[in-house]
Amino acid sequence: MMALKNYFYVGIQFLLFIAWLFEIETLKFNRLEFFQPVFLVLSGIGFLIVLISILQLNTNLSPFPKPKENATLITSGLFKYIRHPIYSGILIFLFFLSLYFGSGYKIGIVFLLLILFWFKSEYEEEQLCLKYPNYRDYRQNTGRFFPKFIH
């Protein structure tokens, strides 16, 4: 059953990434030309968050919510502030790129990704709590997708 959930979440994520590449012209809106450079910079920051997170996970990286057998819990770097910085980076990257393109359709896909990442991270955290007894404490003090400013 667990293996099925892993493939389900990754499969839906893959389909949403593919769907984001398409466009529905009737859902396009006027681009806010003045903000275009800002949208690109913010999108780039999201992409950078993804890259840094991948490098920090190193051999612990897996597309599946269940941690690898030989994985160690990473709680430093970006993971000191955010439990799921790859998801955060993807959402920031695609959201601001969607604004850059003036695409209501793409923003809708990002919203669906947010919902998927919420449920995927819930399942992932169940698995992490089983593997790492100290994960519950880490979860209490660290934001899911964005830093916690109030503990």
Side-chain angles (χ1 to χ4, degrees), residues 3 16 30 59 64 81 86 90 93 107 119 135 149:
L16 287 172
N30 287 335
T59 59
F64 298 108
Y81 307 100
I86 292 176
I90 290 169
F93 171 63
I107 290 172
F119 286 105
Y135 190 81
F149 294 106

Side-chain angles (χ1 to χ4, degrees), residues 57 60 71-76 128 131-136 138:
L57 276 178
N60 296 300
T72 56
L73 182 61
I74 305 296
T75 59
S76 60
L128 290 165
K131 186 168 176 78
Y132 308 107
N134 59 335
Y135 190 81
R136 291 183 200 291
Y138 170 67

